[in-house]
Amino acid sequence: MQSQQTKWVEAINQAYAVLAPLTKQQNLSDRLIMRATLSLAVQTIRMDEFPMVYELKAYPIEVLHHVDTIEQRLPYPLSIAERQWISEELRSFQQGQQETGEELVIRLRVKRLIEQVSLLYGEAFVEDRALEQGLVSHIMSYTKQNIVNPSYVIKQIEREYPRLFDAVKQAAESVFNDQAFADYDLAFWVMHFGAVLSKPLPKTPYRVLVVCSAGLGSSKLLMNRLRQEFTELDQVESSSLFGISRLQLTNYDFVLSTVPLPDISQPHLLVNPILPKEEVDRIRKLLVSLPKSFQSPVRKEASGWLDLTQLEELVKAARQLTDSFSIETISSETDGLEEILLEISNGLVNKHVTSSAVQLSAQLLRRHEMSGLGIPGTRLALFHGRDDSIQRGGFFIYELAQPIELLGMDQVIQPVERILVLAAPEKASDQLLHLLSSISGAIIENDEQTHQFEYGDAKQLDRILNRTFRKVIERELNVEEKVNDFS
């Protein structure tokens, strides 16, 4: 095993040494440099066992010049097939770099758009990085969407954000004066801005474990910075890298470490102990992605007295969630997240779950913009909204007609085919929040259950909900404690 690891390390070091001149000649992104280095290292190890087969293809002259430069620095000659393989890789790298350049142009325009909308509308949108990223992603993936009734969409959004719609339209005509965007396209831009105007997300107490190599200096620095930046952190503890094996990591909502960690199941990030602004943003995204939005306040110690009113509320809320639960298919064949969320929200208006499809879809969109919601390793995304437009709580599943690429909770793009929606009123009861929180926990409780949420039908998931709610109610009853009282 050690010799194999050494072989890989040597191949990667050699590949980077070979590619170093190219990285200086061109302004390549770190992502492309890493990809090219790993690609060349893989080729080095593969050459001995799996020789390439040559196919007649043509490549741009600059690509062939780069291949010559690489070959001159390699300690071994390249066959024609190997030269072709490198040419293919370099061409794809160039295409990726061109896409990055296009994104930069769009990002600069989006910044100007946000500045102008801020001036026209009188609201400071300019510091909102989630808004900027959401608009860039939306415009980058823009296609002529197949909207069933675009005029209906425009009227919906224009009715709820009339001044904002006018401000976005005026700013778009100025900033994107060489491109034509229809009003229904701009309507979805308005939804992104409208999401910023939603109420700030309520702060929830979190428990975090800070890990460093020795558990001393850097962890203390990081803990102080965390307390400055995140007042919602209720419990911040530290540990050395070698001490975490003795801890129950499930007692913590997430782990921050200044050193690489072994494979752990809890959400975790590797961070700089000084915690610069970009690190703060990464942690903020992680906080938003944690399924604690519906967690009720810390429960008091059981007094031995059974509160029948609370029990009745709990059973009533469980019955309401079970009766309203459904699995539906999103019929529109669109890859636009904004349209999918609006269609979902319109359906929830018809179910009397929310009074405003636009406000709810903007709230759900905001969640996605602030952090990825795809559940890693699955085809699921968990959207959760708590808003004053929501009239009653509910849990709903939507099967998409075609997969959509969404950002996951691990900040990696993944295909999503099922969207799970948890919804609660702004002033929801503790009992309802407790049950909704139990659903989010049940989704990832074990592999078999996760598979049911991915592929199961309504009857199978009804059984899971019943089991989940039963556990919550039994804990409320303190069944074991009651039995012991009579033993």
Side-chain angles (χ1 to χ4, degrees), residues 262-379:
D263 187 24
I264 61 175
S265 58
Q266 287 301 92
H268 57 278
L269 286 176
L270 181 65
V271 296
N272 184 327
I274 300 175
L275 217 62
K277 187 177 186 305
E278 57 270 19
E279 300 278 295
V280 172
D281 291 339
R282 288 176 62 218
I283 296 172
R284 179 66 63 194
K285 285 185 175 182
L286 177 63
L287 286 178
V288 175
S289 73
L290 297 173
K292 292 193 67 172
S293 302
F294 304 110
Q295 186 157 315
S296 52
V298 177
R299 300 175 63 83
K300 296 180 181 179
E301 289 286 330
S303 64
W305 180 265
L306 179 61
D307 191 324
L308 294 176
T309 302
Q310 284 192 9
L311 181 61
E312 182 183 15
E313 286 294 323
L314 190 62
V315 173
K316 182 180 176 182
R319 179 68 182 271
Q320 174 193 311
L321 290 173
T322 304
D323 289 346
S324 64
F325 168 69
S326 64
I327 301 179
E328 300 177 19
T329 300
I330 298 294
S331 56
S332 60
E333 295 186 0
T334 175
D335 57 359
L337 176 62
E338 296 85 353
E339 294 164 72
I340 291 173
L341 293 180
L342 188 58
E343 183 172 338
I344 288 173
S345 300
N346 274 317
L348 294 179
V349 168
N350 296 332
K351 291 176 181 286
H352 306 292
V353 173
T354 179
S355 60
S356 170
V358 174
Q359 191 169 328
L360 176 58
S361 56
Q363 177 81 344
L364 296 176
L365 181 65
R366 182 65 172 167
R367 282 285 185 178
H368 177 261
E369 285 183 345
M370 293 188 72
S371 176
L373 298 179
I375 300 176
T378 74
R379 60 196 281 266

Side-chain angles (χ1 to χ4, degrees), residues 191-239:
M191 189 187 293
H192 285 262
F193 282 96
V196 181
L197 300 176
S198 300
K199 285 185 178 181
L201 299 172
K203 289 185 176 180
T204 307
Y206 294 95
R207 298 163 298 170
V208 56
L209 177 66
V210 171
V211 179
C212 76
S213 57
L216 298 173
S218 59
S219 66
K220 298 300 181 186
L221 176 61
L222 178 55
M223 289 168 72
N224 289 336
R225 288 287 292 121
L226 284 171
R227 291 191 179 101
Q228 292 172 8
E229 296 287 348
F230 302 93
T231 57
E232 61 267 52
L233 295 181
D234 180 58
Q235 180 181 338
V236 182
E237 298 181 7
S238 65
S239 169

